[in-house]
PDB file of all heavy atoms in Angstrom:
ATOM      1  N   THR G   1       0.838  -1.193   0.000  1.00 87.00           N
ATOM      2  CA  THR G   1       0.000   0.000   0.000  1.00 87.00           C
ATOM      3  C   THR G   1       0.879   1.250   0.000  1.00 87.00           C
ATOM      4  O   THR G   1       2.105   1.172   0.177  1.00 87.00           O
ATOM      5  CB  THR G   1      -0.901   0.029   1.246  1.00 87.00           C
ATOM      6  OG1 THR G   1      -0.066   0.163   2.400  1.00 87.00           O
ATOM      7  CG2 THR G   1      -1.776  -1.209   1.362  1.00 87.00           C
ATOM      8  N   VAL G   2       0.245   2.396  -0.131  1.00 87.00           N
ATOM      9  CA  VAL G   2       0.958   3.670  -0.111  1.00 87.00           C
ATOM     10  C   VAL G   2       1.713   3.842   1.208  1.00 87.00           C
ATOM     11  O   VAL G   2       2.897   4.201   1.222  1.00 87.00           O
ATOM     12  CB  VAL G   2      -0.032   4.844  -0.332  1.00 87.00           C
ATOM     13  CG1 VAL G   2       0.659   6.184  -0.126  1.00 87.00           C
ATOM     14  CG2 VAL G   2      -0.656   4.765  -1.719  1.00 87.00           C
ATOM     15  N   SER G   3       1.059   3.581   2.331  1.00 92.00           N
ATOM     16  CA  SER G   3       1.724   3.766   3.628  1.00 92.00           C
ATOM     17  C   SER G   3       2.838   2.743   3.845  1.00 92.00           C
ATOM     18  O   SER G   3       3.848   3.063   4.490  1.00 92.00           O
ATOM     19  CB  SER G   3       0.714   3.737   4.784  1.00 92.00           C
ATOM     20  OG  SER G   3       0.009   2.530   4.804  1.00 92.00           O
ATOM     21  N   GLU G   4       2.696   1.540   3.320  1.00 94.00           N
ATOM     22  CA  GLU G   4       3.763   0.533   3.443  1.00 94.00           C
ATOM     23  C   GLU G   4       4.983   0.946   2.623  1.00 94.00           C
ATOM     24  O   GLU G   4       6.125   0.797   3.077  1.00 94.00           O
ATOM     25  CB  GLU G   4       3.243  -0.841   3.034  1.00 94.00           C
ATOM     26  CG  GLU G   4       2.254  -1.404   4.027  1.00 94.00           C
ATOM     27  CD  GLU G   4       1.474  -2.598   3.533  1.00 94.00           C
ATOM     28  OE1 GLU G   4       1.337  -2.790   2.292  1.00 94.00           O
ATOM     29  OE2 GLU G   4       0.970  -3.359   4.382  1.00 94.00           O
ATOM     30  N   VAL G   5       4.761   1.492   1.429  1.00 94.00           N
ATOM     31  CA  VAL G   5       5.883   1.982   0.615  1.00 94.00           C
ATOM     32  C   VAL G   5       6.563   3.147   1.335  1.00 94.00           C
ATOM     33  O   VAL G   5       7.790   3.255   1.341  1.00 94.00           O
ATOM     34  CB  VAL G   5       5.420   2.376  -0.806  1.00 94.00           C
ATOM     35  CG1 VAL G   5       6.535   3.081  -1.576  1.00 94.00           C
ATOM     36  CG2 VAL G   5       4.951   1.134  -1.571  1.00 94.00           C
ATOM     37  N   ALA G   6       5.783   3.997   1.986  1.00 94.00           N
ATOM     38  CA  ALA G   6       6.364   5.102   2.768  1.00 94.00           C
ATOM     39  C   ALA G   6       7.237   4.563   3.903  1.00 94.00           C
ATOM     40  O   ALA G   6       8.307   5.120   4.196  1.00 94.00           O
ATOM     41  CB  ALA G   6       5.260   6.004   3.317  1.00 94.00           C
ATOM     42  N   SER G   7       6.816   3.486   4.547  1.00 95.00           N
ATOM     43  CA  SER G   7       7.635   2.866   5.599  1.00 95.00           C
ATOM     44  C   SER G   7       8.947   2.353   5.030  1.00 95.00           C
ATOM     45  O   SER G   7      10.011   2.545   5.626  1.00 95.00           O
ATOM     46  CB  SER G   7       6.868   1.710   6.251  1.00 95.00           C
ATOM     47  OG  SER G   7       5.778   2.182   6.984  1.00 95.00           O
ATOM     48  N   ILE G   8       8.872   1.700   3.886  1.00 94.00           N
ATOM     49  CA  ILE G   8      10.079   1.193   3.225  1.00 94.00           C
ATOM     50  C   ILE G   8      11.010   2.360   2.888  1.00 94.00           C
ATOM     51  O   ILE G   8      12.222   2.274   3.062  1.00 94.00           O
ATOM     52  CB  ILE G   8       9.705   0.379   1.968  1.00 94.00           C
ATOM     53  CG1 ILE G   8       8.992  -0.923   2.366  1.00 94.00           C
ATOM     54  CG2 ILE G   8      10.918   0.100   1.081  1.00 94.00           C
ATOM     55  CD1 ILE G   8       9.801  -1.874   3.220  1.00 94.00           C
ATOM     56  N   ALA G   9      10.447   3.475   2.426  1.00 93.00           N
ATOM     57  CA  ALA G   9      11.258   4.658   2.098  1.00 93.00           C
ATOM     58  C   ALA G   9      12.023   5.163   3.312  1.00 93.00           C
ATOM     59  O   ALA G   9      13.136   5.669   3.186  1.00 93.00           O
ATOM     60  CB  ALA G   9      10.371   5.760   1.533  1.00 93.00           C
ATOM     61  N   ARG G  10      11.431   5.022   4.504  1.00 93.00           N
ATOM     62  CA  ARG G  10      12.102   5.444   5.747  1.00 93.00           C
ATOM     63  C   ARG G  10      13.080   4.384   6.257  1.00 93.00           C
ATOM     64  O   ARG G  10      13.730   4.577   7.279  1.00 93.00           O
ATOM     65  CB  ARG G  10      11.063   5.715   6.837  1.00 93.00           C
ATOM     66  CG  ARG G  10      10.186   6.917   6.584  1.00 93.00           C
ATOM     67  CD  ARG G  10       9.328   7.271   7.799  1.00 93.00           C
ATOM     68  NE  ARG G  10       8.563   6.158   8.336  1.00 93.00           N
ATOM     69  CZ  ARG G  10       7.346   5.782   7.926  1.00 93.00           C
ATOM     70  NH1 ARG G  10       6.757   6.428   6.940  1.00 93.00           N
ATOM     71  NH2 ARG G  10       6.730   4.770   8.488  1.00 93.00           N
ATOM     72  N   GLY G  11      13.134   3.232   5.584  1.00 93.00           N
ATOM     73  CA  GLY G  11      14.029   2.172   6.009  1.00 93.00           C
ATOM     74  C   GLY G  11      13.415   1.231   7.033  1.00 93.00           C
ATOM     75  O   GLY G  11      14.105   0.378   7.598  1.00 93.00           O
ATOM     76  N   ALA G  12      12.117   1.374   7.288  1.00 95.00           N
ATOM     77  CA  ALA G  12      11.431   0.514   8.261  1.00 95.00           C
ATOM     78  C   ALA G  12      10.920  -0.759   7.585  1.00 95.00           C
ATOM     79  O   ALA G  12      10.621  -0.760   6.391  1.00 95.00           O
ATOM     80  CB  ALA G  12      10.251   1.267   8.881  1.00 95.00           C
ATOM     81  N   ALA G  13      10.806  -1.805   8.353  1.00 96.00           N
ATOM     82  CA  ALA G  13      10.272  -3.068   7.846  1.00 96.00           C
ATOM     83  C   ALA G  13       8.758  -2.999   7.767  1.00 96.00           C
ATOM     84  O   ALA G  13       8.114  -2.231   8.487  1.00 96.00           O
ATOM     85  CB  ALA G  13      10.675  -4.218   8.761  1.00 96.00           C
ATOM     86  N   VAL G  14       8.195  -3.801   6.878  1.00 96.00           N
ATOM     87  CA  VAL G  14       6.749  -3.978   6.773  1.00 96.00           C
ATOM     88  C   VAL G  14       6.487  -5.455   7.022  1.00 96.00           C
ATOM     89  O   VAL G  14       7.119  -6.312   6.403  1.00 96.00           O
ATOM     90  CB  VAL G  14       6.233  -3.560   5.378  1.00 96.00           C
ATOM     91  CG1 VAL G  14       4.753  -3.837   5.238  1.00 96.00           C
ATOM     92  CG2 VAL G  14       6.542  -2.099   5.100  1.00 96.00           C
ATOM     93  N   GLU G  15       5.584  -5.743   7.945  1.00 97.00           N
ATOM     94  CA  GLU G  15       5.325  -7.126   8.312  1.00 97.00           C
ATOM     95  C   GLU G  15       3.835  -7.423   8.305  1.00 97.00           C
ATOM     96  O   GLU G  15       3.030  -6.555   8.624  1.00 97.00           O
ATOM     97  CB  GLU G  15       5.892  -7.423   9.696  1.00 97.00           C
ATOM     98  CG  GLU G  15       7.391  -7.157   9.772  1.00 97.00           C
ATOM     99  CD  GLU G  15       7.986  -7.535  11.112  1.00 97.00           C
ATOM    100  OE1 GLU G  15       7.817  -8.707  11.518  1.00 97.00           O
ATOM    101  OE2 GLU G  15       8.597  -6.665  11.734  1.00 97.00           O
ATOM    102  N   SER G  16       3.485  -8.657   7.937  1.00 96.00           N
ATOM    103  CA  SER G  16       2.094  -9.122   7.944  1.00 96.00           C
ATOM    104  C   SER G  16       2.049 -10.541   8.477  1.00 96.00           C
ATOM    105  O   SER G  16       3.065 -11.227   8.565  1.00 96.00           O
ATOM    106  CB  SER G  16       1.493  -9.078   6.549  1.00 96.00           C
ATOM    107  OG  SER G  16       1.323  -7.755   6.122  1.00 96.00           O
ATOM    108  N   ARG G  17       0.836 -10.972   8.779  1.00 97.00           N
ATOM    109  CA  ARG G  17       0.660 -12.293   9.391  1.00 97.00           C
ATOM    110  C   ARG G  17      -0.649 -12.900   8.896  1.00 97.00           C
ATOM    111  O   ARG G  17      -1.660 -12.220   8.800  1.00 97.00           O
ATOM    112  CB  ARG G  17       0.625 -12.127  10.897  1.00 97.00           C
ATOM    113  CG  ARG G  17       0.152 -13.335  11.655  1.00 97.00           C
ATOM    114  CD  ARG G  17       0.267 -13.131  13.131  1.00 97.00           C
ATOM    115  NE  ARG G  17       1.695 -13.253  13.426  1.00 97.00           N
ATOM    116  CZ  ARG G  17       2.273 -12.832  14.522  1.00 97.00           C
ATOM    117  NH1 ARG G  17       1.574 -12.235  15.456  1.00 97.00           N
ATOM    118  NH2 ARG G  17       3.551 -13.002  14.723  1.00 97.00           N
ATOM    119  N   THR G  18      -0.602 -14.186   8.583  1.00 96.00           N
ATOM    120  CA  THR G  18      -1.804 -14.953   8.262  1.00 96.00           C
ATOM    121  C   THR G  18      -1.917 -16.063   9.289  1.00 96.00           C
ATOM    122  O   THR G  18      -0.990 -16.863   9.458  1.00 96.00           O
ATOM    123  CB  THR G  18      -1.722 -15.555   6.843  1.00 96.00           C
ATOM    124  OG1 THR G  18      -1.572 -14.489   5.906  1.00 96.00           O
ATOM    125  CG2 THR G  18      -2.973 -16.352   6.509  1.00 96.00           C
ATOM    126  N   ARG G  19      -3.054 -16.072   9.983  1.00 97.00           N
ATOM    127  CA  ARG G  19      -3.260 -17.068  11.038  1.00 97.00           C
ATOM    128  C   ARG G  19      -4.082 -18.245  10.511  1.00 97.00           C
ATOM    129  O   ARG G  19      -5.068 -18.058   9.814  1.00 97.00           O
ATOM    130  CB  ARG G  19      -3.963 -16.427  12.225  1.00 97.00           C
ATOM    131  CG  ARG G  19      -3.101 -15.340  12.868  1.00 97.00           C
ATOM    132  CD  ARG G  19      -3.753 -14.677  14.028  1.00 97.00           C
ATOM    133  NE  ARG G  19      -5.023 -14.068  13.608  1.00 97.00           N
ATOM    134  CZ  ARG G  19      -6.006 -13.776  14.437  1.00 97.00           C
ATOM    135  NH1 ARG G  19      -5.903 -14.013  15.719  1.00 97.00           N
ATOM    136  NH2 ARG G  19      -7.108 -13.224  13.980  1.00 97.00           N
ATOM    137  N   PHE G  20      -3.645 -19.415  10.864  1.00 96.00           N
ATOM    138  CA  PHE G  20      -4.341 -20.668  10.578  1.00 96.00           C
ATOM    139  C   PHE G  20      -4.746 -21.278  11.914  1.00 96.00           C
ATOM    140  O   PHE G  20      -4.221 -20.878  12.959  1.00 96.00           O
ATOM    141  CB  PHE G  20      -3.415 -21.629   9.816  1.00 96.00           C
ATOM    142  CG  PHE G  20      -3.017 -21.118   8.451  1.00 96.00           C
ATOM    143  CD1 PHE G  20      -1.880 -20.326   8.298  1.00 96.00           C
ATOM    144  CD2 PHE G  20      -3.763 -21.440   7.330  1.00 96.00           C
ATOM    145  CE1 PHE G  20      -1.509 -19.860   7.041  1.00 96.00           C
ATOM    146  CE2 PHE G  20      -3.393 -20.976   6.076  1.00 96.00           C
ATOM    147  CZ  PHE G  20      -2.261 -20.187   5.929  1.00 96.00           C
ATOM    148  N   PRO G  21      -5.634 -22.266  11.914  1.00 97.00           N
ATOM    149  CA  PRO G  21      -6.028 -22.869  13.190  1.00 97.00           C
ATOM    150  C   PRO G  21      -4.850 -23.441  13.991  1.00 97.00           C
ATOM    151  O   PRO G  21      -4.845 -23.371  15.210  1.00 97.00           O
ATOM    152  CB  PRO G  21      -6.992 -23.973  12.777  1.00 97.00           C
ATOM    153  CG  PRO G  21      -7.567 -23.512  11.488  1.00 97.00           C
ATOM    154  CD  PRO G  21      -6.445 -22.788  10.799  1.00 97.00           C
ATOM    155  N   SER G  22      -3.849 -23.978  13.287  1.00 95.00           N
ATOM    156  CA  SER G  22      -2.768 -24.653  14.009  1.00 95.00           C
ATOM    157  C   SER G  22      -1.411 -23.955  13.918  1.00 95.00           C
ATOM    158  O   SER G  22      -0.446 -24.400  14.536  1.00 95.00           O
ATOM    159  CB  SER G  22      -2.616 -26.076  13.477  1.00 95.00           C
ATOM    160  OG  SER G  22      -2.288 -26.036  12.094  1.00 95.00           O
ATOM    161  N   ALA G  23      -1.322 -22.866  13.141  1.00 96.00           N
ATOM    162  CA  ALA G  23      -0.026 -22.200  12.973  1.00 96.00           C
ATOM    163  C   ALA G  23      -0.239 -20.798  12.411  1.00 96.00           C
ATOM    164  O   ALA G  23      -1.343 -20.436  12.017  1.00 96.00           O
ATOM    165  CB  ALA G  23       0.864 -23.005  12.036  1.00 96.00           C
ATOM    166  N   THR G  24       0.848 -20.047  12.363  1.00 97.00           N
ATOM    167  CA  THR G  24       0.827 -18.692  11.820  1.00 97.00           C
ATOM    168  C   THR G  24       1.948 -18.562  10.796  1.00 97.00           C
ATOM    169  O   THR G  24       3.055 -19.051  11.010  1.00 97.00           O
ATOM    170  CB  THR G  24       1.050 -17.663  12.942  1.00 97.00           C
ATOM    171  OG1 THR G  24       0.006 -17.808  13.904  1.00 97.00           O
ATOM    172  CG2 THR G  24       1.046 -16.252  12.416  1.00 97.00           C
ATOM    173  N   LEU G  25       1.639 -17.914   9.682  1.00 97.00           N
ATOM    174  CA  LEU G  25       2.644 -17.612   8.673  1.00 97.00           C
ATOM    175  C   LEU G  25       2.912 -16.121   8.729  1.00 97.00           C
ATOM    176  O   LEU G  25       2.004 -15.306   8.555  1.00 97.00           O
ATOM    177  CB  LEU G  25       2.155 -17.993   7.268  1.00 97.00           C
ATOM    178  CG  LEU G  25       3.076 -17.568   6.116  1.00 97.00           C
ATOM    179  CD1 LEU G  25       4.414 -18.298   6.192  1.00 97.00           C
ATOM    180  CD2 LEU G  25       2.393 -17.816   4.778  1.00 97.00           C
ATOM    181  N   ASP G  26       4.147 -15.754   9.015  1.00 97.00           N
ATOM    182  CA  ASP G  26       4.561 -14.354   9.028  1.00 97.00           C
ATOM    183  C   ASP G  26       5.321 -14.079   7.741  1.00 97.00           C
ATOM    184  O   ASP G  26       6.052 -14.943   7.242  1.00 97.00           O
ATOM    185  CB  ASP G  26       5.480 -14.067  10.215  1.00 97.00           C
ATOM    186  CG  ASP G  26       4.757 -14.176  11.541  1.00 97.00           C
ATOM    187  OD1 ASP G  26       3.628 -13.666  11.648  1.00 97.00           O
ATOM    188  OD2 ASP G  26       5.332 -14.770  12.473  1.00 97.00           O
ATOM    189  N   TYR G  27       5.158 -12.859   7.229  1.00 97.00           N
ATOM    190  CA  TYR G  27       5.956 -12.459   6.079  1.00 97.00           C
ATOM    191  C   TYR G  27       6.328 -11.001   6.237  1.00 97.00           C
ATOM    192  O   TYR G  27       5.564 -10.198   6.775  1.00 97.00           O
ATOM    193  CB  TYR G  27       5.284 -12.760   4.741  1.00 97.00           C
ATOM    194  CG  TYR G  27       3.834 -12.351   4.598  1.00 97.00           C
ATOM    195  CD1 TYR G  27       3.482 -11.244   3.852  1.00 97.00           C
ATOM    196  CD2 TYR G  27       2.814 -13.099   5.177  1.00 97.00           C
ATOM    197  CE1 TYR G  27       2.151 -10.883   3.693  1.00 97.00           C
ATOM    198  CE2 TYR G  27       1.485 -12.750   5.021  1.00 97.00           C
ATOM    199  CZ  TYR G  27       1.164 -11.629   4.271  1.00 97.00           C
ATOM    200  OH  TYR G  27      -0.154 -11.281   4.122  1.00 97.00           O
ATOM    201  N   ALA G  28       7.542 -10.690   5.803  1.00 97.00           N
ATOM    202  CA  ALA G  28       8.089  -9.360   6.056  1.00 97.00           C
ATOM    203  C   ALA G  28       8.949  -8.898   4.897  1.00 97.00           C
ATOM    204  O   ALA G  28       9.547  -9.706   4.190  1.00 97.00           O
ATOM    205  CB  ALA G  28       8.915  -9.378   7.342  1.00 97.00           C
ATOM    206  N   LEU G  29       8.996  -7.589   4.754  1.00 97.00           N
ATOM    207  CA  LEU G  29       9.863  -6.951   3.778  1.00 97.00           C
ATOM    208  C   LEU G  29      10.785  -6.020   4.555  1.00 97.00           C
ATOM    209  O   LEU G  29      10.322  -5.160   5.310  1.00 97.00           O
ATOM    210  CB  LEU G  29       9.029  -6.165   2.765  1.00 97.00           C
ATOM    211  CG  LEU G  29       9.789  -5.470   1.643  1.00 97.00           C
ATOM    212  CD1 LEU G  29      10.513  -6.491   0.759  1.00 97.00           C
ATOM    213  CD2 LEU G  29       8.830  -4.629   0.806  1.00 97.00           C
ATOM    214  N   TRP G  30      12.081  -6.211   4.390  1.00 95.00           N
ATOM    215  CA  TRP G  30      13.094  -5.461   5.130  1.00 95.00           C
ATOM    216  C   TRP G  30      13.937  -4.645   4.163  1.00 95.00           C
ATOM    217  O   TRP G  30      14.102  -5.010   3.003  1.00 95.00           O
ATOM    218  CB  TRP G  30      14.029  -6.425   5.865  1.00 95.00           C
ATOM    219  CG  TRP G  30      13.361  -7.264   6.884  1.00 95.00           C
ATOM    220  CD1 TRP G  30      12.698  -8.442   6.671  1.00 95.00           C
ATOM    221  CD2 TRP G  30      13.264  -7.008   8.270  1.00 95.00           C
ATOM    222  NE1 TRP G  30      12.210  -8.933   7.848  1.00 95.00           N
ATOM    223  CE2 TRP G  30      12.542  -8.061   8.850  1.00 95.00           C
ATOM    224  CE3 TRP G  30      13.724  -5.986   9.083  1.00 95.00           C
ATOM    225  CZ2 TRP G  30      12.273  -8.124  10.205  1.00 95.00           C
ATOM    226  CZ3 TRP G  30      13.461  -6.049  10.431  1.00 95.00           C
ATOM    227  CH2 TRP G  30      12.737  -7.111  10.980  1.00 95.00           C
ATOM    228  N   VAL G  31      14.517  -3.599   4.675  1.00 96.00           N
ATOM    229  CA  VAL G  31      15.486  -2.796   3.941  1.00 96.00           C
ATOM    230  C   VAL G  31      16.813  -2.941   4.669  1.00 96.00           C
ATOM    231  O   VAL G  31      16.868  -2.824   5.896  1.00 96.00           O
ATOM    232  CB  VAL G  31      15.055  -1.313   3.897  1.00 96.00           C
ATOM    233  CG1 VAL G  31      16.099  -0.474   3.197  1.00 96.00           C
ATOM    234  CG2 VAL G  31      13.699  -1.165   3.221  1.00 96.00           C
ATOM    235  N   ALA G  32      17.870  -3.220   3.912  1.00 96.00           N
ATOM    236  CA  ALA G  32      19.172  -3.429   4.547  1.00 96.00           C
ATOM    237  C   ALA G  32      20.287  -3.083   3.563  1.00 96.00           C
ATOM    238  O   ALA G  32      20.045  -2.891   2.370  1.00 96.00           O
ATOM    239  CB  ALA G  32      19.310  -4.878   5.011  1.00 96.00           C
ATOM    240  N   ASP G  33      21.484  -3.024   4.071  1.00 96.00           N
ATOM    241  CA  ASP G  33      22.650  -2.789   3.231  1.00 96.00           C
ATOM    242  C   ASP G  33      23.096  -4.111   2.622  1.00 96.00           C
ATOM    243  O   ASP G  33      24.060  -4.738   3.083  1.00 96.00           O
ATOM    244  CB  ASP G  33      23.769  -2.140   4.051  1.00 96.00           C
ATOM    245  CG  ASP G  33      23.387  -0.755   4.531  1.00 96.00           C
ATOM    246  OD1 ASP G  33      22.761  -0.017   3.749  1.00 96.00           O
ATOM    247  OD2 ASP G  33      23.689  -0.414   5.694  1.00 96.00           O
ATOM    248  N   VAL G  34      22.354  -4.547   1.609  1.00 96.00           N
ATOM    249  CA  VAL G  34      22.634  -5.791   0.902  1.00 96.00           C
ATOM    250  C   VAL G  34      22.762  -5.475  -0.589  1.00 96.00           C
ATOM    251  O   VAL G  34      22.225  -4.474  -1.062  1.00 96.00           O
ATOM    252  CB  VAL G  34      21.516  -6.847   1.140  1.00 96.00           C
ATOM    253  CG1 VAL G  34      21.462  -7.261   2.608  1.00 96.00           C
ATOM    254  CG2 VAL G  34      20.157  -6.330   0.685  1.00 96.00           C
ATOM    255  N   PRO G  35      23.467  -6.335  -1.341  1.00 96.00           N
ATOM    256  CA  PRO G  35      23.681  -6.034  -2.764  1.00 96.00           C
ATOM    257  C   PRO G  35      22.492  -6.365  -3.675  1.00 96.00           C
ATOM    258  O   PRO G  35      22.357  -5.782  -4.747  1.00 96.00           O
ATOM    259  CB  PRO G  35      24.895  -6.883  -3.127  1.00 96.00           C
ATOM    260  CG  PRO G  35      24.867  -8.012  -2.154  1.00 96.00           C
ATOM    261  CD  PRO G  35      24.279  -7.457  -0.888  1.00 96.00           C
ATOM    262  N   HIS G  36      21.637  -7.312  -3.272  1.00 95.00           N
ATOM    263  CA  HIS G  36      20.572  -7.781  -4.161  1.00 95.00           C
ATOM    264  C   HIS G  36      19.293  -8.063  -3.372  1.00 95.00           C
ATOM    265  O   HIS G  36      19.345  -8.313  -2.159  1.00 95.00           O
ATOM    266  CB  HIS G  36      20.980  -9.086  -4.859  1.00 95.00           C
ATOM    267  CG  HIS G  36      22.281  -9.003  -5.577  1.00 95.00           C
ATOM    268  ND1 HIS G  36      22.429  -8.328  -6.760  1.00 95.00           N
ATOM    269  CD2 HIS G  36      23.501  -9.505  -5.272  1.00 95.00           C
ATOM    270  CE1 HIS G  36      23.687  -8.421  -7.164  1.00 95.00           C
ATOM    271  NE2 HIS G  36      24.371  -9.120  -6.267  1.00 95.00           N
ATOM    272  N   ILE G  37      18.167  -8.071  -4.076  1.00 97.00           N
ATOM    273  CA  ILE G  37      16.918  -8.520  -3.474  1.00 97.00           C
ATOM    274  C   ILE G  37      17.080 -10.006  -3.153  1.00 97.00           C
ATOM    275  O   ILE G  37      17.573 -10.770  -3.980  1.00 97.00           O
ATOM    276  CB  ILE G  37      15.741  -8.315  -4.443  1.00 97.00           C
ATOM    277  CG1 ILE G  37      15.529  -6.824  -4.721  1.00 97.00           C
ATOM    278  CG2 ILE G  37      14.458  -8.933  -3.877  1.00 97.00           C
ATOM    279  CD1 ILE G  37      14.503  -6.541  -5.799  1.00 97.00           C
ATOM    280  N   ALA G  38      16.675 -10.396  -1.955  1.00 96.00           N
ATOM    281  CA  ALA G  38      16.838 -11.791  -1.547  1.00 96.00           C
ATOM    282  C   ALA G  38      15.669 -12.210  -0.664  1.00 96.00           C
ATOM    283  O   ALA G  38      15.011 -11.371  -0.042  1.00 96.00           O
ATOM    284  CB  ALA G  38      18.147 -11.978  -0.790  1.00 96.00           C
ATOM    285  N   ALA G  39      15.424 -13.514  -0.622  1.00 97.00           N
ATOM    286  CA  ALA G  39      14.349 -14.055   0.212  1.00 97.00           C
ATOM    287  C   ALA G  39      14.873 -15.237   1.006  1.00 97.00           C
ATOM    288  O   ALA G  39      15.807 -15.922   0.594  1.00 97.00           O
ATOM    289  CB  ALA G  39      13.179 -14.501  -0.662  1.00 97.00           C
ATOM    290  N   ARG G  40      14.227 -15.444   2.158  1.00 96.00           N
ATOM    291  CA  ARG G  40      14.541 -16.639   2.950  1.00 96.00           C
ATOM    292  C   ARG G  40      13.261 -17.084   3.653  1.00 96.00           C
ATOM    293  O   ARG G  40      12.329 -16.298   3.848  1.00 96.00           O
ATOM    294  CB  ARG G  40      15.674 -16.397   3.924  1.00 96.00           C
ATOM    295  CG  ARG G  40      15.365 -15.464   5.058  1.00 96.00           C
ATOM    296  CD  ARG G  40      16.578 -15.330   6.012  1.00 96.00           C
ATOM    297  NE  ARG G  40      16.221 -14.595   7.182  1.00 96.00           N
ATOM    298  CZ  ARG G  40      16.150 -13.279   7.265  1.00 96.00           C
ATOM    299  NH1 ARG G  40      16.429 -12.541   6.212  1.00 96.00           N
ATOM    300  NH2 ARG G  40      15.794 -12.688   8.386  1.00 96.00           N
ATOM    301  N   PHE G  41      13.253 -18.342   4.012  1.00 96.00           N
ATOM    302  CA  PHE G  41      12.103 -18.907   4.717  1.00 96.00           C
ATOM    303  C   PHE G  41      12.616 -19.799   5.827  1.00 96.00           C
ATOM    304  O   PHE G  41      13.386 -20.723   5.593  1.00 96.00           O
ATOM    305  CB  PHE G  41      11.229 -19.733   3.759  1.00 96.00           C
ATOM    306  CG  PHE G  41      10.083 -20.412   4.447  1.00 96.00           C
ATOM    307  CD1 PHE G  41       8.972 -19.687   4.862  1.00 96.00           C
ATOM    308  CD2 PHE G  41      10.116 -21.773   4.692  1.00 96.00           C
ATOM    309  CE1 PHE G  41       7.918 -20.309   5.512  1.00 96.00           C
ATOM    310  CE2 PHE G  41       9.070 -22.409   5.333  1.00 96.00           C
ATOM    311  CZ  PHE G  41       7.969 -21.679   5.748  1.00 96.00           C
ATOM    312  N   ASP G  42      12.224 -19.498   7.059  1.00 94.00           N
ATOM    313  CA  ASP G  42      12.519 -20.370   8.183  1.00 94.00           C
ATOM    314  C   ASP G  42      11.536 -20.081   9.308  1.00 94.00           C
ATOM    315  O   ASP G  42      11.060 -18.962   9.464  1.00 94.00           O
ATOM    316  CB  ASP G  42      13.973 -20.266   8.676  1.00 94.00           C
ATOM    317  CG  ASP G  42      14.585 -18.891   8.601  1.00 94.00           C
ATOM    318  OD1 ASP G  42      14.072 -17.950   9.222  1.00 94.00           O
ATOM    319  OD2 ASP G  42      15.577 -18.780   7.892  1.00 94.00           O
ATOM    320  N   ALA G  43      11.228 -21.099  10.050  1.00 92.00           N
ATOM    321  CA  ALA G  43      10.336 -21.000  11.210  1.00 92.00           C
ATOM    322  C   ALA G  43       9.007 -20.314  10.866  1.00 92.00           C
ATOM    323  O   ALA G  43       8.577 -19.396  11.555  1.00 92.00           O
ATOM    324  CB  ALA G  43      11.038 -20.294  12.363  1.00 92.00           C
ATOM    325  N   ALA G  44       8.376 -20.755   9.779  1.00 94.00           N
ATOM    326  CA  ALA G  44       7.084 -20.226   9.339  1.00 94.00           C
ATOM    327  C   ALA G  44       7.122 -18.724   9.076  1.00 94.00           C
ATOM    328  O   ALA G  44       6.168 -17.993   9.299  1.00 94.00           O
ATOM    329  CB  ALA G  44       5.981 -20.575  10.333  1.00 94.00           C
TER     330      ALA G  44
END
């Protein structure tokens, strides 16, 4: 969204969560001093 892009512009992370009956899936977008866009998945 517009406000989430504004957070990214400030260098802040944007995080969301989807809840299931038995577990939760978290997903986040971070800004860091890294050379490339990258993804990882661990611990849901």
Side-chain angles (χ1 to χ4, degrees):
T1 65
V2 172
S3 58
E4 290 167 337
V5 171
S7 292
I8 292 299
R10 292 189 308 273
V14 176
E15 302 184 56
S16 291
R17 167 175 285 163
T18 301
R19 296 180 301 158
F20 296 89
S22 61
T24 300
L25 173 65
D26 293 316
Y27 47 105
L29 182 63
W30 298 84
V31 177
D33 295 320
V34 295
H36 306 286
I37 296 173
R40 69 178 188 279
F41 176 74
D42 35 60

